Amino acid sequence: MPHHTPLISTIVVGLVLAFTLGALAHRLRISPLVGYLLAGVLVGPFTPGYVADQGLANQLAEIGVILLMFGVGLHFSIKDLLSVRAIAIPGAVVQIASATLLGLGLAWMMGWTLGAGIVFGLALSVASTVVLLRALQERRLVETERGHIAVGWLIVEDLAMVLTLVLLPAIAKALTDTSADPSTIWLSLAATLGKVSAFVAIMLIGGRRLIPWILHFVAHTGSRELFRLSVLAISLGVAYGAAVLFGVSFALGAFFAGMVLSESELSHRAASETLPLRDAFAVLFFISVGMLFDPTILIRDFGPVLATFLIIVVGKSLAALAIVLLFGHPKSTALTIAASLAQIGEFSFILAGLGVDLQILPERGRDLILAGAILSILVNPFLFTLLDKWTARAEARKGASAPASSEPAEPPTREPIPKTSLADHVVLVGHGRVGKFISAKLLASSTPFLVIENNEDKVAQLLQEGIPAIVGNAADPEVAAAANIAAARCLLIAIPNSFESGQVVEQARTIDPVLPIIARAHSDAEGDHLTKYGASSIVLGEREIARAMVSGIPAASPSEPEQTEAEETERQTVSGEALTPSVSQAAS
């Protein structure tokens, strides 16, 4: 290649490898995070072959950290935390302290300093948001009591890590130099807290008004590009401004930008619009972390790696299990929380990187944390599988030995979807811009209907309004059965993704071969695709818009000349009346 393009090659090779290994990990029912980390290992300096530019990777990773923390702030919910504060706050604090003490003990055995041990232990104490939420969503536990406890617990852990990231640079000298002047340390700590307080005050007083106003102003322009750009500008701009003007970390600035934005009614749209870019840079973050990992540590430091792994999977889990049981919750709830927290992820990597940069944590410690993270994420799905089997056996034993027992049954580890009692109803898939208009018409005509929607917030809103709704993918046989598609009058598919719509149509046809299915499409090719899978009627958006606009043209006045035959043919062609449809069309 005639041009030296380290930035392009780092991004392209990294993302291609991350996609390949992430897809393979997903196929093996392992978190894609493992694939992303292994992609970083393959392009890192410790493995043969192509080596990505570490400096550029680190800068890309910084953007990934900003967007990750912005996402954490965007989904931060005081309401979720307060609803389970009685167990989540003391539980998370005790569990963090337990894991930190275990990590400190292992660091002491390896001859590290007190500061290194504290940072090492803290990095082992916080679970990965991505892995935990994925495990709960797969079992539909997010909206259950166990899900609320786990999410509240995670919020406390995240807040503790944000506070650690803020204070660690201020106390770094005290952790690395025992002879440091205490007055200097206290002065540095006070200055840091003062800057953070000033930043927080500005964000809570000015940011809470200015940021939502900017978003509302841009939203009223009707430009999706400008709205998406405004969200990115706010997240990156606030993070950078916080670092330059107040000397606080990018992470804290991005977290508060997301938290302030979460109070806006446009927060859900902001989250969805920026999700692709956040995901892409999050992948680059994990790739950059993997590049720092030396795989030979698995052999060279097998004992410490095993000890680190056991602290994460066994030590943390036992602490969480004991705490939840002490609060009087069922054993299955305690085991679910313990399994959810038996891994570490993105916050651990951020904290380890900061510890190494501040010369508190040795590079060996970072390698142990990375090894522990990869192994714990690999093992986490198997822990849930064991939990599922244990629960099934416990239920079988209880049913066989004590059918009349008054003890409450253990809740299942995979929450079943209650089947609707509706019959001769309309099933509406998707409640976006099109779905909302459809549901409004169905409500106005008193037609019984049920909505299937992936977005949990939308489903919660629908349920609050008294509209039957189910969270999930309509192509999932369990979701389709819960919606009682077999007894439905009609299936309306209002989602814009034709590939997903095809899967929904195919699933519905296996349940009821003669069910009327009306689907939405954007082109004739999409319509053909959906018809092939069994859709009864296809509604093409552009064609329906043209038909409505033409039908709204006032009739010609008597004084005007009559239309020629060619003009009438052209009018019919535009309106769709003379088109030869390649797909079935729904009646308007």
Side-chain angles (χ1 to χ4, degrees):
M1 192 185 301
H3 303 292
H4 184 57
T5 55
L7 176 62
I8 295 176
S9 60
T10 297
I11 294 175
V12 171
V13 176
L15 290 180
V16 169
L17 277 176
F19 163 72
T20 305
L21 297 176
L24 179 61
H26 182 74
R27 181 71 176 173
L28 297 174
R29 299 188 64 81
I30 301 168
S31 173
L33 260 64
V34 175
Y36 307 154
L37 291 168
L38 291 179
V41 174
L42 290 180
V43 299
F46 302 104
T47 52
Y50 171 78
V51 177
D53 189 305
Q54 183 69 64
L56 287 174
N58 287 340
Q59 292 186 48
L60 293 171
E62 285 288 356
I63 300 178
V65 169
I66 292 172
L67 295 177
L68 268 174
M69 293 303 299
F70 177 70
V72 171
L74 203 55
H75 293 98
F76 177 79
S77 173
I78 289 288
K79 181 181 176 182
D80 289 344
L81 176 58
L82 293 179
S83 65
V84 290
R85 63 187 181 278
I87 181 173
I89 295 176
V93 170
V94 172
Q95 184 244 306
I96 290 172
S98 302
T100 303
L101 288 174
L102 289 171
L104 186 61
L106 178 59
W108 176 77
M109 292 174 63
M110 292 187 291
W112 295 356
T113 63
L114 176 65
I118 292 174
V119 173
F120 182 69
L122 284 171
L124 301 183
S125 69
V126 59
S128 166
T129 303
V130 177
V131 177
L132 186 147
L133 289 179
R134 182 171 181 262
L136 295 179
Q137 287 167 351
E138 283 181 350
R139 288 157 180 82
R140 291 185 288 275
L141 296 174
V142 175
E143 294 302 321
T144 65
E145 182 191 28
R146 287 168 286 171
H148 290 158
I149 293 173
V151 171
W153 200 299
L154 189 67
I155 289 172
V156 178
E157 288 189 349
D158 289 351
L159 287 174
M161 290 307 108
V162 169
L163 186 62
T164 302
L165 293 174
V166 170
L167 297 180
L168 194 59
I171 61 174
K173 194 168 184 180
L175 295 175
T176 54
D177 185 6
T178 55
S179 62
D181 184 6
S183 61
T184 304
I185 296 170
W186 282 109
L187 187 62
S188 174
L189 185 60
T192 299
L193 290 174
K195 291 178 181 178
V196 170
S197 299
F199 169 71
V200 171
I202 290 175
M203 289 299 294
L204 293 180
I205 297 172
R208 290 176 70 177
R209 292 175 173 82
L210 181 61
I211 291 176
W213 180 84
I214 292 173
L215 284 182
H216 281 275
F217 173 78
V218 176
H220 282 109
T221 65
S223 171
R224 290 187 64 183
E225 293 81 5
L226 273 179
F227 184 83
R228 192 178 297 124
L229 185 61
S230 68
V231 176
L232 291 172
I234 288 169
S235 59
L236 297 173
V238 170
Y240 185 76
V244 172
L245 300 177
F246 297 94
V248 301
S249 65
F250 288 137
L252 181 67
F255 174 79
F256 264 93
M259 196 173 75
V260 168
L261 186 55
S262 69
E263 298 181 5
S264 168
E265 60 187 26
L266 293 170
S267 61
H268 297 306
R269 182 181 170 189
S272 62
E273 291 287 354
T274 58
L275 187 60
L277 194 63
R278 280 193 288 134
D279 285 347
F281 276 98
V283 169
L284 290 171
F285 164 71
F286 290 117
I287 291 171
S288 71
V289 170
M291 290 176 64
L292 302 172
F293 179 61
D294 183 359
T296 61
I297 195 174
L298 297 173
I299 301 171
R300 175 168 37 89
D301 266 351
F302 178 76
V305 168
L306 180 62
T308 302
F309 171 73
L310 292 176
I311 289 173
I312 298 168
V313 175
V314 179
K316 284 176 60 181
S317 299
L318 288 178
L321 181 69
I323 294 163
V324 178
L325 288 176
L326 283 173
F327 276 83
H329 290 274
K331 191 182 293 182
S332 64
T333 298
L335 288 170
T336 301
I337 302 300
S340 300
L341 299 171
Q343 38 77 22
I344 59 173
E346 53 275 5
F347 260 119
S348 304
F349 306 147
I350 296 171
L351 185 57
L354 181 61
V356 172
D357 290 342
L358 295 173
Q359 298 181 343
I360 301 173
L361 183 71
E363 293 189 2
R364 183 188 180 195
R366 180 179 60 195
D367 287 342
L368 290 174
I369 291 168
L370 292 174
I374 293 173
L375 294 174
S376 66
I377 293 172
L378 280 171
V379 168
N380 198 250
F382 297 105
L383 294 180
F384 274 100
T385 301
L386 292 174
L387 178 58
D388 293 340
K389 291 180 178 178
W390 175 87
T391 304
R393 289 174 184 171
E395 285 298 306
R397 285 196 302 268
K398 184 173 291 187
S401 62
S405 172
S406 61
E407 293 182 16
E410 293 282 356
T413 55
R414 181 178 174 88
E415 196 73 15
I417 307 175
K419 184 176 180 179
T420 181
S421 59
L422 291 174
D424 192 31
H425 59 298
V426 174
V427 177
L428 171 60
V429 179
H431 203 255
R433 290 180 297 173
V434 175
K436 286 180 180 178
F437 283 112
I438 295 173
S439 66
K441 291 288 186 182
L442 293 174
L443 277 174
S445 62
S446 300
T447 303
F449 71 99
L450 177 145
V451 178
I452 301 176
E453 168 62 52
N454 272 323
N455 189 301
E456 294 174 0
D457 295 321
K458 290 181 180 180
V459 170
Q461 181 65 32
L462 287 168
L463 293 174
Q464 191 175 356
E465 295 171 3
I467 299 173
I470 296 174
V471 178
N473 188 333
D476 183 343
E478 194 173 355
V479 173
N484 200 14
I485 286 180
R489 183 192 309 177
C490 178
L491 174 64
L492 305 179
I493 304 176
I495 54 177
N497 188 318
S498 62
F499 176 76
E500 187 178 342
S501 297
Q503 294 178 313
V504 176
V505 172
E506 186 178 24
Q507 176 61 35
R509 275 285 165 254
T510 62
I511 297 173
D512 186 348
V514 296
L515 174 71
I517 301 176
I518 304 173
R520 166 190 177 187
H522 294 288
S523 65
D524 285 345
E526 289 186 4
D528 290 336
H529 170 75
L530 295 173
T531 303
K532 182 180 71 174
Y533 279 99
S536 312
S537 301
I538 303 297
V539 177
L540 296 177
E542 290 79 1
R543 186 173 296 169
E544 294 304 318
I545 292 171
R547 178 177 296 166
M549 293 179 72
V550 171
S551 66
I553 298 175
S557 61
S559 59
E560 291 181 0
E562 295 185 0
Q563 288 182 317
T564 64
E565 183 178 347
E567 289 173 335
E568 173 63 19
T569 302
E570 183 180 357
R571 185 194 69 78
Q572 291 180 352
T573 301
V574 172
S575 67
E577 296 170 13
L579 287 173
T580 302
S582 59
V583 297
S584 303
Q585 296 181 28
S588 59

